[in-house]
Amino acid sequence: MEKDEENTEYFQRVINDKFLKYEKLVVQSHSFNSGNDGKGDIPKFFTMVVLTALDDVQKSFFESEIERLKNEKLIPSSCRYFVFSDPPGPRIGCGGSTFHVLDQIYNKLNPNSKLDPSKSFESNPNIFNSFGEERILLIHAGGYSKRLPIHSCTGEIFTSIPLISLKPESSALHHRRMTILEMKLISYMDLIHLMPPGVFTTSSDLLEFFDSDANTNHSINFNYFDFTALSFPTSSLATAESHGVFIVGDKVNSGSVSIPQSNYQSKHLLKYIHKPNQQSLNNALLHSDKQEKYILMDAAYYFNAKIAFLFYQFYSHNKDLLSNIEIDAYGDILQCLGAQSDDTWIENSSNLRSVEHLSKIIQARKEIKHLLSNAGSNVQVIELSPSLWMHIGTTEEYLNHMTQNLINVGHRALAGNYFADESKIVGQNSTHSYVCINSIFQSNVSFGQRGVVEFSRIGKNVK
């Protein structure tokens, strides 16, 4: 959670407004699909939400959770939901999953036809049956959360978090728990109004809070770039070292590209660096109007339908090369982009889980860079300021965000619980340093600092 945390009232308002809009969208989508309303257009949302899973066991669980959320009318019914598991064998990384998912999407939508991988995007007659019409939210969720073992079964994407404390209360569901999936749908729902067909890709261990309402001059325009990367300012070099950072150039101006007015700055990408060293961090430093130093850190990014087709085409030609190796959607794709992108990272093995197939990984990186260089891919980096991000990748981060940071921006500390005697539930101080979700409590229960209790039955006089 970074720099704008002082402005809690602002983010409480932004999150509250988004959730109210989301509830309305969900109700409208289910009403439209059930035929109860019959009037007006279907609410605009992603045409497809895709989760990746590590294997078929996790895929089955994800599908059952999505079905539960749909049946309980907690997520929109106006889009298709798919879960694709990675191929059996060694991990392929979120970059390998991206290629694999695009292949699976086309096969799913067009079972009796094939794109011609030898033809260009524009000359393929079947392209508008797939990538040319789809606005896809791709969430990389595969894995068993080894650094956060309490979510090994559910995966981080279905981690329980307390519901937003709405003002005014909007429905009987306001005491329930939420999942990270729902929170991500809420965060991104406004983006769809300016997003051309393409893929918006993100990870399941990150919560992002930012205003994306065009009516407040916080719109993000995706139309003029093959890639649009969302970035979050951070003043913490230690945090940036474990993620990716952008080195950016001049602001995108009206010149040959007409960008609508927005409070968010759009900047040309010079270089992306994955898990940078100290020298790289120094090169990425920017200065605010108050001369405060900060760095733009990676989060989610979008690529258009043309790039989706190029990735599909690349995967069709290189399945043998890409099999059994791990490709990262950030380190091995974004590092190929930018006016000052070079080849120095291609043989770097410091961030790899295994170097068993290093020669194949290096060759794959070279091929991806060649692909994107030949395509002349242009990239904008959106500086989301003000914004908040919360990385939930470790137990320490999970406890910090659940018991403090989420509560500070308007989430409830208590959700979906039953208390035999709520007056005798004792905390350590007046502000909640604990979170209780979907649990049953008898009287005289005491909580310590930074604790999370979920799906439990607690007897009397328990500390």
Side-chain angles (χ1 to χ4, degrees):
M1 183 155 172
E2 286 297 324
K3 217 38 185 165
D4 294 298
E5 59 194 7
E6 306 94 21
N7 198 356
T8 55
E9 288 187 7
Y10 169 78
F11 288 108
Q12 287 173 3
R13 185 176 70 253
V14 168
I15 295 168
N16 186 83
D17 291 348
K18 278 194 172 189
F19 191 84
L20 291 173
K21 288 170 63 177
Y22 176 78
E23 276 202 327
K24 183 177 180 180
L25 169 72
V26 171
V27 170
Q28 288 178 335
S29 70
H30 282 273
S31 177
F32 185 94
N33 284 349
S34 67
N36 292 336
D37 190 335
K39 295 181 180 180
D41 297 327
I42 190 168
K44 192 168 185 180
F45 194 60
F46 292 96
T47 60
M48 188 182 301
V49 174
V50 177
L51 305 186
T52 64
L54 184 63
D55 53 33
D56 287 341
V57 174
Q58 191 171 65
K59 174 179 183 289
S60 178
F61 175 78
F62 284 2
E63 289 174 335
S64 67
E65 281 294 281
I66 289 171
E67 195 63 25
R68 176 184 69 81
L69 292 171
K70 286 174 63 178
N71 289 339
E72 294 179 13
K73 298 183 179 180
L74 300 177
I75 58 176
S77 63
S78 54
C79 68
R80 291 153 292 172
Y81 295 88
F82 294 116
V83 182
F84 296 116
S85 57
D86 290 346
R91 296 189 66 164
I92 61 174
C94 54
S97 291
T98 298
F99 298 137
H100 177 66
V101 161
L102 292 172
D103 185 62
Q104 294 294 304
I105 287 174
Y106 187 81
N107 293 335
K108 177 78 72 172
L109 298 182
N110 302 275
N112 300 317
S113 63
K114 274 285 185 182
L115 291 175
D116 185 347
S118 65
K119 293 183 178 180
S120 68
F121 173 79
E122 291 80 7
S123 60
N124 255 286
N126 293 323
I127 192 67
F128 289 102
N129 294 328
S130 52
F131 309 121
E133 291 185 336
E134 300 291 344
R135 291 167 173 83
I136 302 167
L137 174 60
L138 170 57
I139 304 176
H140 291 289
Y144 284 105
S145 304
K146 292 181 179 179
R147 295 186 301 165
L148 197 57
I150 57 173
H151 297 132
S152 291
C153 294
T154 63
E156 288 158 332
I157 192 63
F158 291 107
T159 295
S160 298
I161 59 176
L163 185 66
I164 298 161
S165 182
L166 293 173
K167 299 176 182 179
E169 302 286 8
S170 64
S171 76
L173 297 173
H174 67 268
H175 288 301
R176 69 174 180 88
R177 67 184 176 97
M178 294 182 70
T179 63
I180 285 182
L181 173 61
E182 293 165 84
M183 199 64 235
K184 293 188 87 66
L185 298 183
I186 293 169
S187 294
Y188 303 145
M189 62 177 292
D190 288 329
L191 300 181
I192 197 65
H193 296 284
L194 285 174
M195 196 179 100
V199 179
F200 188 87
T201 181
T202 183
S203 61
S204 60
D205 60 359
L206 191 67
L207 288 174
E208 307 100 325
F209 302 94
F210 57 95
D211 190 355
S212 49
D213 189 342
N215 294 325
T216 62
N217 260 9
H218 286 91
S219 61
I220 299 170
N221 195 289
F222 298 86
N223 284 294
Y224 303 100
F225 297 88
D226 297 320
F227 286 84
T228 295
L230 305 189
S231 69
F232 290 80
T234 175
S235 58
S236 170
L237 298 186
T239 301
E241 281 180 339
S242 60
H243 293 81
V245 301
F246 298 101
I247 299 177
V248 295
D250 297 334
K251 289 190 292 185
V252 175
N253 54 41
S254 56
S256 58
V257 177
S258 178
I259 302 295
Q261 181 66 35
S262 173
N263 290 339
Y264 294 138
Q265 292 187 12
S266 169
K267 297 182 178 180
H268 292 288
L269 174 66
L270 298 180
K271 194 175 186 178
Y272 171 84
I273 305 171
H274 187 56
K275 297 187 177 178
N277 57 30
Q278 187 62 49
Q279 181 58 49
S280 298
L281 287 174
N282 291 335
N283 293 336
L285 281 173
L286 298 170
H287 293 83
S288 69
D289 293 338
K290 298 179 180 179
Q291 293 305 303
E292 296 173 330
K293 294 181 180 180
Y294 68 98
I295 289 175
L296 297 180
M297 200 162 61
D298 64 0
Y301 66 91
Y302 159 89
F303 53 87
N304 62 19
K306 183 187 79 172
I307 298 298
F309 172 71
L310 285 177
F311 284 161
Y312 167 83
Q313 187 180 47
F314 174 76
Y315 187 73
S316 298
H317 286 300
N318 293 280
K319 287 186 178 181
D320 289 340
L321 173 62
L322 295 172
S323 64
N324 299 323
I325 62 171
E326 191 165 359
I327 298 296
D328 189 73
Y330 296 84
D332 297 326
I333 293 179
L334 292 185
Q335 283 193 122
C336 297
L337 303 170
Q340 296 179 5
S341 174
D342 54 35
D343 298 335
T344 57
W345 61 275
I346 288 179
E347 297 189 12
N348 185 349
S349 62
S350 61
N351 295 322
L352 297 177
R353 298 175 195 266
S354 170
V355 295
E356 181 180 355
H357 300 291
L358 182 58
S359 60
K360 282 185 69 176
I361 293 172
I362 291 172
Q363 185 59 36
R365 288 172 171 176
K366 289 179 178 178
E367 294 293 338
I368 296 169
K369 184 166 176 56
H370 179 73
L371 172 76
L372 294 173
S373 296
N374 282 356
S377 306
N378 54 358
V379 190
Q380 67 169 336
V381 177
I382 305 296
E383 181 178 330
L384 294 175
S385 181
S387 61
L388 291 175
W389 58 267
M390 299 181 191
H391 184 253
I392 307 178
T394 66
T395 301
E396 182 68 18
E397 290 174 327
Y398 170 75
L399 288 174
N400 284 340
H401 296 317
M402 286 288 285
T403 62
Q404 181 177 349
N405 296 333
L406 281 171
I407 308 304
N408 287 343
V409 295
H411 286 254
R412 295 176 179 273
L414 309 174
N417 302 291
Y418 170 77
F419 298 98
D421 186 351
E422 192 165 352
S423 66
K424 294 184 179 180
I425 303 299
V426 182
Q428 291 293 334
N429 49 50
S430 58
T431 60
H432 287 294
S433 59
Y434 57 88
V435 169
C436 305
I437 299 173
N438 282 42
S439 296
I440 298 173
F441 299 92
Q442 299 301 319
S443 58
N444 293 324
V445 176
S446 299
F447 294 92
Q449 295 284 348
R450 299 175 70 241
V452 178
V453 178
E454 60 178 357
F455 303 102
S456 299
R457 183 188 294 269
I458 309 297
K460 293 182 179 180
N461 305 317
V462 174
K463 293 185 178 182

